[in-house]
Amino acid sequence: MNLVLKVWRQRNAEEPGQLETIEAPSINPDMSFLEMLDVVNERLVAENKEPIAYDHDCREGICGACSLVINGVAHGPDRGTTTCQLHMRRFHSGDEIVIEPFRARAFPVIRDLVVDRSSLDRIIQSGGYVSVSTGGTPDANEIPIPKRAADVAMDAAACIGCGACVAACKNASAMLFVSAKAAHLAHIPQGAPERLERARSMVARMDEETFGACTNTSDCEAVCPKEISIEFIGELNRDFRQALLAGR
Amino acid sequence: MRLESGVPSGPLADKWDKHRAEMKLVNPANKRRFRIIVVGSGLAGGSAAASLAELGYDVDCFCFQDSPRRAHSIAAQGGINAAKNYQNDGDSIWRLFYDTIKGGDYRSREANVYRLAQVSVNIIDQCVAQGVPFAREYGGLLDNRSFGGAQVSRTFYARGQTGQQLLLGAYQALSRQIHAKKVTMHTRTEMLDLVVSGGRAVGIITRNLVTGEILSWAGDAVVLATGGYGNAFYLSTNAKGCNVTASFRAYKRGAGFANPCFTQIHPTCIPVSGEYQSKLTLMSESLRNDGRVWVPTEGGDQRAPTAIPEAERDYYLERRYPSFGNLVPRDVASRAAKRVCDEGRGVGKSGLGVYLDFNDAIKRMGKDVVEQKYGNLFHMYQKITDENPYATPMRIFPAVHYTMGGLWVDYNLMSNVPGLHVIGEANFSDHGANRLGASALMQGLADGYFVLPYTIGNYLATAGPSPVKTDHDDFSRTAAEVSDRTRRLVGRKGHRTPDHFHRALGQILWDHCGMGRNSAGLEKALKEIPALRQEFWEDVCVLGGDREYNVALEHAGRVADFLEFGEIMVRDALERRESCGGHFREEYRTSEGEAVRDDEGHAHAAVWEFQGADKAPVRHREEMSFEFVTPSTRSYK
Ligand SMILES: Cc1cc2nc3c(=O)[nH]c(=O)nc-3n(C[C@H](O)[C@H](O)[C@H](O)COP(=O)(O)OP(=O)(O)OC[C@H]3O[C@@H](n4cnc5c(N)ncnc54)[C@H](O)[C@@H]3O)c2cc1C
Ligand code: FES
């Protein structure tokens, strides 16, 4: 297939960026989207041009490193799929593909398509854990957990922390991400004691990191590669209100 | 090179307890006076950094990804072993120990493996307390599966995302310590050298991958948890960033590299589909519990698999290994696949593939049950290959997956360079010549949560604080060498990308140091690799500057190290004149094609010592003696 790419190029956080048109002829439809970019990069280098920078690592849809807004959609056109798992057979010869970074105030551009998502880590650091230290824990089977509760916790825990939810949201809110972590821990007994405090501190940190507020547009759910449900946002909102009432 | 394992005396089951009782302790009030450098934030590094900080040490933790949560451990699918015996099926610490040491083909240390089995039970308790959502039964207790051909059900799992959930547990514990300011996390930072001063590891040199800044870090001890080197082969199931740089730099500063040729080739991966292929995708081993592996009886059979009648199919694993069938260990299954493909009976366009067929399973259990068990894997397979595995058999082929070799460590997980500790896949590990499924996660967490936090205390209490700070000559000299090397790479206007050389190296290693190895091929590789290395330095193209975010530079540095390291893998394979585990020397096999181990001459770890840039490294040995088990021939017939 022959494609025309419009790729966001930006040297660093300070300099302005712009879309650059790059021809991508003879692309094999069995390639993944990132393999297509690899090939484009090889060709750029052969012409003594600098390769396009993009984040990636596992290429299996689990590490959350890959990003990219493809034709206006975070992670591209396939539902429940990360960019690294998207294949070129999804496109047609002659297509023009616009490739941009995940954009949000809380995600400054580092270079080209690479952004800084450490704000998400700082939200977890503010309370996205159970406060236990290594050692001295009870036998794993001491507290039975209903299968349903464990399954819901796992649904939420499946979040890969990619930030697509933020990129898709017109307010650049991180509520889907935050609520997924909150729900993972809130649904199991080990996480219950700190439930309200956790909700309060993670939401506060989210605000400090300049993420926007959630207005329930559910664009986040639509692009989430793990199809995490916005029901968790409702749960987090309830916990957050309760935490405020309890004065935590 | 002194290679003293330091295994405590006494009965196997008492060694670790006895050792813990005898080790020196650091006074709690003094712990914060010690600074520990942990390189890596995967299961091993993440769990270690968190646990050390909880104990009171100050920790600097480094990773090259943008977040510690993205370490390669995240990708593990299948599960983690522990000798809990929750299923009442006769499991025990002894049995897990025995399976692991036998599975490793008797090339690992008894005492280490026993300790691993012992602490395995604590790992599950710890993870559950952190909130890891393991799979559960309806009664609310933990579920287990049998994995990788084990005769008992001892594998704990969280859907197909066990590595992710375990890593998130460690990441959360780490995040808590970052919040408490006990751990300083340095992301997008690559360790490029180890600083050794007065014979002791005292720090590291890093490059900030965003700004290009080269910095020095001093510590009282250094812990490498930098993962495996499977990407030496270019194509592997590892994440793209996995590399040997940290371990290799440490090797060049005097740390022994043990058994570099011990690599694991996993039998169930999606075959290569084209030249552009950037990595290989693992299909979980659990598929072999219900899928049947076969190829056509005759070579060159071009019919669609569903059109080939039963009588013209060769279920070669069931035929050759009637008692284990499709569940033979990884090394055996991989070699058997290679053999049928070498005979010209491989399937798919390239002829490098075998079928994994679920037709009988669907008939037996119904499509719904198959979907429930393997739905996500089938979905992934279909996305990648555009073929529907419910209707037509999957095509699979072996791929590089894990490296049992690594930096040599003693019982305390310390290398021969005092102060340098190595944990997780980066050390030469408890898996001998072949790792069993679900045991890498176990080892990474055992090392990080339950072994290193004790043993490092013994080192610090004995050696005391490091007298050397970053203004010392040894730091400036090492940092200058790193800068020099970076400058030698950057701005090279050759004709080929680092990727080009990486692929070429991968092909040499795969052809001559892969599933089947022989002296002629290895000798050939020993000529080809230095030639390729020379070509690299003459013709590599690295555009951009060194003081900025520069992916090509990053990659070129890693490839340069693989190009040197690959040669040591080959040397090691050449010198090990036996077949054991994943190391199959074609000269040492029975008339039926099974591996022949040489316990008289090779029951040892081969440990390589760097001698200087253009000199051959020296091979040392640590003998593996077996006091408690008797090495037997692994037979799965
Ligand atoms: C697809 C796949 C599936 C698997 N499934 C299973 C399974 O089901 N069960 C099982 O037991 N095992 C499994 N394994 C093996 C297991 O996942 C790994 O062996 C294990 O996770 C390695 O953990 P680690 O902490 O040692 O290293 P890693 O997780 O690889 O972490 C390495 C860390 O070191 C850092 N690092 C590396 N080099 C540098 C450097 N130079 N400077 C700074 N930082 C550096 C990285 O940033 C990273 O944080 C699987 C492996 C793969 C590839
Ligand atoms: S590269 Fe890991 S999720 Fe895409």
Side-chain angles (χ1 to χ4, degrees):
Chain A
M1 357 178 5
N2 301 315
L3 303 165
V4 178
L5 310 181
K6 301 233 152 158
V7 185
W8 186 259
R9 302 303 298 264
Q10 181 171 344
R11 186 145 204 113
N12 52 45
E14 287 77 42
E15 289 172 40
Q18 71 287 318
L19 285 173
E20 184 180 305
T21 305
I22 300 173
E23 303 275 339
S26 336
I27 295 298
N28 183 322
D30 284 333
M31 286 179 184
S32 72
F33 199 85
L34 295 182
E35 284 169 346
M36 181 274 291
L37 287 179
D38 293 344
V39 168
V40 169
N41 271 348
E42 293 260 337
R43 294 177 188 165
L44 285 174
V45 170
E47 296 168 23
N48 254 294
K49 292 185 187 149
E50 286 184 46
I52 307 162
Y54 46 90
D55 259 326
H56 65 95
D57 201 16
C58 74
R59 299 203 175 195
E60 288 192 8
I62 192 75
C63 74
C66 64
S67 50
L68 308 192
V69 173
I70 300 167
N71 288 335
V73 184
H75 287 306
D78 281 355
R79 253 193 118 87
T81 304
T82 52
T83 293
C84 61
Q85 295 283 78
L86 176 66
H87 282 76
M88 295 317 292
R89 61 180 87 93
R90 191 67 175 68
F91 299 87
H92 304 282
S93 199
D95 278 1
E96 180 181 288
I97 307 177
V98 182
I99 310 172
E100 294 167 278
F102 277 5
R103 292 189 193 281
R105 241 176 96 193
F107 292 170
V109 172
I110 291 176
R111 180 168 191 149
D112 297 344
L113 304 167
V114 176
V115 299
D116 179 356
R117 290 170 281 186
S118 52
S119 45
L120 297 180
D121 286 323
R122 289 189 293 273
I123 295 178
I124 301 297
Q125 286 155 21
S126 74
Y129 40 74
V130 177
S131 299
V132 290
S133 297
T134 304
T137 50
D139 183 86
N141 259 347
E142 195 153 297
I143 311 173
I145 303 180
K147 182 170 171 14
R148 235 206 80 66
D151 283 348
V152 175
M154 182 62 219
D155 289 342
C159 168
I160 59 174
C162 62
C165 45
V166 178
C169 176
K170 67 176 169 41
N171 309 321
S173 168
M175 269 305 260
L176 191 62
F177 168 82
V178 177
S179 70
K181 184 46 62 200
H184 158 207
L185 297 173
H187 280 266
I188 46 179
Q190 289 80 4
E194 295 170 285
R195 175 174 182 158
L196 298 185
E197 178 55 28
R198 181 181 306 118
R200 194 204 53 74
S201 51
M202 286 206 292
V203 170
R205 186 74 216 187
M206 180 179 80
D207 292 343
E208 270 172 56
E209 294 288 344
T210 73
F211 288 100
C214 170
T215 51
N216 293 314
T217 58
S218 70
D219 290 336
C220 51
E221 189 186 67
V223 299
C224 175
K226 298 296 142 183
E227 305 187 297
I228 298 206
S229 162
I230 52 165
E231 279 179 30
F232 296 131
I233 297 184
E235 289 180 14
L236 176 61
N237 279 329
R238 281 194 294 280
D239 284 354
F240 181 67
R241 278 196 298 272
Q242 214 181 319
L244 291 185
L245 286 174
R248 295 210 195 203
Chain B
M1 180 174 280
R2 274 179 43 168
L3 299 174
E4 277 170 28
S5 69
V7 169
S9 58
L12 191 57
D14 300 342
K15 285 182 192 290
W16 178 231
D17 285 347
K18 174 168 175 269
H19 191 59
R20 277 197 303 176
E22 288 171 357
M23 272 188 293
K24 286 199 185 160
L25 296 172
V26 178
N27 179 318
N30 279 340
K31 286 200 174 116
R32 68 191 151 74
R33 305 224 173 99
F34 287 103
R35 179 161 287 277
I36 301 174
I37 290 174
V38 178
V39 189
S41 64
L43 285 181
S47 60
S51 304
L52 290 169
E54 288 162 5
L55 288 172
Y57 298 108
D58 278 330
V59 177
D60 276 301
C61 183
F62 298 82
C63 72
F64 65 75
Q65 290 92 347
D66 67 330
S67 162
R69 68 180 289 156
R70 306 206 204 284
H72 165 58
S73 294
I74 201 97
Q77 304 168 351
I80 176 167
N81 286 333
K84 281 285 199 188
N85 193 31
Y86 281 161
Q87 304 306 323
N88 197 29
D89 56 359
D91 199 11
S92 62
I93 287 168
W94 174 267
R95 194 178 285 276
L96 175 55
F97 153 73
Y98 183 76
D99 287 354
T100 308
I101 205 146
K102 175 180 177 211
D105 225 355
Y106 302 97
R107 291 293 173 265
S108 44
R109 238 184 246 143
E110 275 180 329
N112 285 53
V113 179
Y114 195 85
R115 174 178 65 190
L116 175 64
Q118 277 177 308
V119 302
S120 70
V121 297
N122 306 110
I123 296 173
I124 304 303
D125 299 343
Q126 184 63 34
C127 295
V128 166
Q130 291 170 339
V132 170
F134 284 121
R136 291 188 179 260
E137 292 167 354
Y138 283 99
L141 300 184
L142 290 159
D143 191 20
N144 290 117
R145 54 162 72 140
S146 100
F147 197 75
Q151 314 276 44
V152 290
S153 280
R154 62 160 77 101
T155 304
F156 294 78
Y157 65 103
R159 291 198 190 140
Q161 291 125 273
T162 316
Q164 180 198 27
Q165 294 310 315
L166 295 175
L167 184 61
L168 291 181
Y171 161 76
Q172 286 166 202
L174 178 64
S175 297
R176 178 169 163 247
Q177 294 308 315
I178 296 171
H179 187 66
K181 302 211 163 26
K182 290 301 290 177
V183 175
T184 312
M185 187 71 218
H186 310 271
T187 60
R188 293 200 196 265
T189 305
E190 185 168 30
M191 165 179 163
L192 290 180
D193 220 329
L194 176 76
V195 183
V196 179
S197 184
R200 167 176 177 169
V202 294
I204 61 170
I205 310 292
T206 61
R207 178 170 179 273
N208 178 317
L209 296 178
V210 177
T211 62
E213 199 179 1
I214 307 270
L215 285 178
S216 300
W217 306 89
D220 301 297
V222 176
V223 181
L224 293 191
T226 46
Y229 52 83
N231 277 353
F233 291 84
Y234 186 73
L235 286 181
S236 83
T237 63
N238 290 11
K240 291 292 285 177
C242 294
N243 66 86
V244 76
T245 291
S247 308
F248 190 65
R249 303 272 116 201
Y251 158 80
K252 285 190 144 180
R253 298 284 172 201
F257 209 111
N259 300 331
C261 81
F262 283 172
T263 48
Q264 175 163 82
I265 315 248
H266 195 293
T268 54
C269 303
I270 301 180
V272 174
S273 72
E275 289 254 316
Y276 52 80
Q277 189 98 25
S278 62
K279 78 157 282 175
L280 295 170
T281 303
L282 175 77
M283 289 276 101
S284 169
E285 182 148 52
S286 59
L287 290 169
R288 287 199 280 145
N289 284 338
D290 289 300
R292 298 180 69 195
V293 177
W294 65 275
V295 289
T297 327
E298 294 296 323
D301 192 332
Q302 296 296 327
R303 288 173 291 177
T306 43
I308 301 180
E310 223 25 57
E312 292 166 48
R313 298 176 174 195
D314 179 12
Y315 294 90
Y316 58 88
L317 288 177
E318 296 170 24
R319 172 172 58 79
R320 283 178 64 186
Y321 306 100
S323 63
F324 277 70
N326 294 296
L327 292 174
V328 290
R330 292 176 177 174
D331 52 340
V332 179
S334 292
R335 276 197 295 278
K338 175 177 189 292
R339 179 155 139 179
V340 295
C341 293
D342 288 349
E343 289 164 3
R345 297 195 286 147
V347 303
K349 262 185 249 161
S350 63
L352 295 175
V354 301
Y355 290 125
L356 179 62
D357 198 334
F358 288 86
N359 196 29
D360 287 344
I362 292 172
K363 274 193 210 138
R364 189 178 73 240
M365 306 189 274
K367 187 177 168 219
D368 287 353
V369 178
V370 170
E371 187 170 353
Q372 240 175 39
K373 278 179 107 164
Y374 305 115
N376 60 340
L377 294 167
F378 278 39
H379 180 74
M380 178 151 92
Y381 180 85
Q382 181 153 18
K383 277 212 80 88
I384 294 174
T385 62
D386 210 17
E387 289 172 6
N388 173 5
Y390 294 101
T392 181
M394 284 183 178
R395 285 174 298 111
I396 54 163
F397 196 65
V400 174
H401 180 58
Y402 179 88
T403 51
M404 284 77 68
L407 292 176
W408 181 88
V409 288
D410 65 9
Y411 188 69
N412 287 335
L413 305 180
M414 188 161 86
S415 73
N416 57 305
V417 177
L420 177 68
H421 296 73
V422 191
I423 58 176
E425 192 173 338
N427 71 24
F428 88 119
S429 92
D430 304 340
H431 310 293
N434 173 56
R435 176 177 70 80
L436 293 182
S439 58
L441 303 182
M442 168 172 75
Q443 183 225 330
L445 291 181
D447 289 0
Y449 284 134
F450 296 112
V451 180
L452 181 86
Y454 291 102
T455 58
I456 209 168
N458 184 54
Y459 169 75
L460 294 170
T462 315
S466 160
V468 174
K469 297 291 162 258
T470 53
D471 55 9
H472 191 275
D473 276 357
D474 290 323
F475 271 97
S476 13
R477 192 165 352 100
T478 314
E481 284 172 28
V482 168
S483 301
D484 258 15
R485 199 179 133 83
T486 310
R487 270 196 299 272
R488 265 176 72 204
L489 278 170
V490 82
R492 284 197 171 250
K493 294 229 167 69
H495 297 88
R496 301 187 185 279
T497 57
D499 233 36
H500 165 84
F501 295 98
H502 196 173
R503 269 176 213 273
L505 172 69
Q507 195 64 50
I508 298 174
L509 289 175
W510 179 249
D511 288 346
H512 303 302
C513 197
M515 277 187 284
R517 304 156 174 194
N518 57 57
S519 65
L522 291 164
E523 296 282 4
K524 188 156 175 256
L526 270 189
K527 296 210 173 63
E528 288 176 358
I529 296 174
L532 184 66
R533 197 160 59 226
Q534 192 177 345
E535 212 186 303
F536 171 88
W537 285 101
E538 284 163 6
D539 202 25
V540 72
C541 175
V542 183
L543 302 170
D546 60 345
R547 284 306 182 116
E548 61 177 345
Y549 187 88
N550 188 336
V551 197
L553 176 59
E554 219 176 283
H555 193 185
R558 292 176 191 160
V559 175
D561 285 338
F562 277 135
L563 281 166
E564 289 181 46
F565 176 70
E567 196 176 318
I568 303 171
M569 291 171 71
V570 172
R571 275 181 201 282
D572 189 44
L574 191 60
E575 292 300 319
R576 189 168 279 279
R577 295 187 180 82
E578 64 163 349
S579 293
C580 65
H583 171 68
F584 188 71
R585 278 285 297 265
E586 287 158 355
E587 302 95 320
Y588 307 101
R589 60 174 159 189
T590 64
S591 54
E592 285 171 306
E594 302 299 338
V596 175
R597 212 175 60 212
D598 167 28
D599 288 342
E600 295 273 290
H602 290 87
H604 59 252
V607 188
W608 294 86
E609 183 183 15
F610 183 66
Q611 298 292 312
D614 299 312
K615 298 202 190 107
V618 171
R619 184 182 192 267
H620 303 271
R621 304 154 154 231
E622 183 203 334
E623 298 302 328
M624 296 289 143
S625 52
F626 296 93
E627 240 185 288
F628 304 94
V629 295
T630 314
S632 59
T633 302
R634 287 195 307 153
S635 169
Y636 298 94
K637 290 220 173 273

